[in-house]
Amino acid sequence: MTKYLKLLRVEQWIKNLFVFVPLFFSGNITNLDLLGKSIFAFVIFSLIASAVYIVNDYSDIESDRKHPLKRRRPLASGVISKSTAVAVFVLLIGLSITLVILGQYFFSQNFWKFTTIIGLYFFMNLAYTFKLKHVAIIDVSIIALGFVLRVLAGGYATGIEISQWAILLTFVLALVLAIGKRRGELINAQVSGKTRRSLDGYNVQFADIALSISCTLVIVCYLMFTLSPEVQAKFHPRVFFTVIFVVFAILRYLQQTLVYNRTESPTKIIYRDKYIQVTLVLWIAAFLLQIYFK
């Protein structure tokens, strides 16, 4: 069972929590109807994402076998056969299509918009898998757009309008994680050799500069989000002070990346770094206080 969970990369489903962003920032997290719609969208996105991961691992079997960590993936290591992986892929696609069709009964108002987002995410990631991941800068931009699509899907599923600053914040935050991952791969490549063609378009100095710019944009976008008229009107004005947690989390992430070189996988830092975990909990608690205890 564990090998199938690894094939689906269930630990990566944490990225799909961005589907809940519109619900959280709108102050409707306790609305059970909207929460149910967000969970439904989360499940669909998770199934589609796992299907894409299988395609990616299938196409990268040979290169993954040369990577010190990726060689342990089920397909690269041989614990799951190619035919089994194809069967699981077909099953995931079938389940995803079925749930999308059922989705018209959950969010009929924006059904076609939601379906378009799901389709765009799937085919964009197929293009990424077979071509675009080999093109420097475009590769990290595609990853960041994937997070934006998650947020848009959550908005269409619930019918909640999304702030422009929230969309831009999502993009630059995802860009930080993607660039941090590329930097980690560059550091690893110095020891074991390059395992990704797009790395030819990067070097550590460029990654450091791009990461610094992106981190600055994250702070600026979050600051502008908290100061925007609609947010100030919806929440208590002191929501502005939650920027403190964002700044600390960004600094901690930069420390892990630039000082300790520990962020080749952006999800690992969330699962392992207690400082960032505590900061996230405090940020969520502080933001909830602004929403529900004004």
Side-chain angles (χ1 to χ4, degrees):
M1 186 62 181
T2 302
K3 61 183 180 181
Y4 290 105
L5 294 178
K6 290 182 178 179
L7 179 68
L8 300 181
R9 295 202 211 175
V10 174
E11 76 281 359
Q12 298 291 339
W13 287 4
I14 191 173
K15 298 175 182 177
N16 299 323
L17 291 177
F18 275 79
V19 167
F20 294 91
V21 165
L23 185 67
F24 180 80
F25 283 119
S26 68
N28 289 299
I29 197 69
T30 57
N31 185 314
L32 295 182
D33 178 57
L34 296 182
L35 180 60
K37 292 178 179 179
S38 293
I39 293 174
F40 194 79
F42 171 82
V43 171
I44 293 175
F45 242 103
S46 297
L47 293 176
I48 287 292
S50 289
V52 170
Y53 285 135
I54 291 176
V55 174
N56 181 78
D57 288 355
Y58 191 99
S59 65
D60 286 350
I61 290 178
E62 295 305 320
S63 60
D64 283 352
R65 285 173 178 167
K66 301 175 184 178
H67 193 280
L69 295 178
K70 294 180 181 179
R71 65 185 180 187
R72 301 173 186 171
R73 289 176 176 175
L75 277 171
S77 64
V79 297
I80 290 182
S81 66
K82 292 182 179 180
S83 58
T84 300
V86 170
V88 175
F89 170 80
V90 172
L91 176 61
L92 291 174
I93 293 298
L95 286 173
S96 300
I97 293 175
T98 301
L99 290 178
V100 168
I101 293 174
L102 292 175
Q104 61 185 311
Y105 301 107
F106 287 87
F107 28 81
S108 56
Q109 183 180 0
N110 295 310
F111 171 72
W112 288 111
K113 291 181 179 179
F114 177 82
T115 302
T116 299
I117 292 295
I118 294 296
L120 181 59
Y121 176 84
F122 179 71
F123 288 107
M124 182 183 74
N125 277 280
L126 287 183
Y128 172 85
T129 296
F130 293 111
K131 179 65 178 180
L132 299 181
K133 71 179 180 181
H134 303 304
V135 184
I137 298 180
I138 291 180
D139 59 337
V140 294
S141 298
I142 291 294
I143 293 173
L145 284 173
F147 282 85
V148 172
L149 291 179
R150 289 174 173 92
V151 174
L152 291 176
Y156 289 137
T158 56
I160 296 173
E161 186 176 353
I162 307 167
S163 165
Q164 293 178 336
W165 284 112
I167 293 175
L168 187 56
L169 173 63
T170 299
F171 179 82
V172 293
L173 179 59
L175 204 57
V176 166
L177 300 178
I179 294 172
K181 181 177 181 180
R182 289 294 178 271
R183 186 185 185 279
E185 290 172 339
L186 283 168
I187 298 298
N188 181 69
Q190 295 175 356
V191 178
S192 58
K194 291 182 179 179
T195 56
R196 187 189 296 271
R197 275 187 281 169
S198 67
L199 292 181
D200 292 332
Y202 296 99
N203 59 34
V204 175
Q205 182 182 14
F206 173 78
D208 289 347
I209 294 172
L211 194 60
S212 298
I213 292 173
S214 300
C215 285
T216 301
L217 287 174
V218 168
I219 296 173
V220 170
C221 288
Y222 185 81
L223 185 61
M224 295 304 297
F225 170 76
T226 60
L227 292 176
S228 60
E230 63 269 26
V231 171
Q232 287 283 303
K234 184 182 298 183
F235 310 130
H236 194 285
R238 63 173 173 261
V239 70
F240 160 78
F241 292 105
T242 59
V243 74
I244 295 172
F245 300 112
V246 175
V247 171
F248 180 85
I250 289 295
L251 290 176
R252 176 63 177 177
Y253 180 82
L254 284 174
Q255 181 192 46
Q256 293 293 294
T257 303
L258 303 180
V259 179
Y260 302 122
N261 296 318
R262 293 176 180 169
T263 52
E264 182 175 348
S265 175
T267 53
K268 287 183 179 179
I269 193 171
I270 297 176
Y271 286 120
R272 298 178 181 178
D273 192 276
K274 294 182 180 180
Y275 290 95
I276 287 184
Q277 290 173 355
V278 171
T279 302
L280 285 174
V281 170
L282 291 176
W283 172 77
I284 292 173
F287 212 97
L288 288 174
L289 286 174
Q290 314 310 312
I291 298 174
Y292 301 106
F293 301 97
K294 294 191 289 184

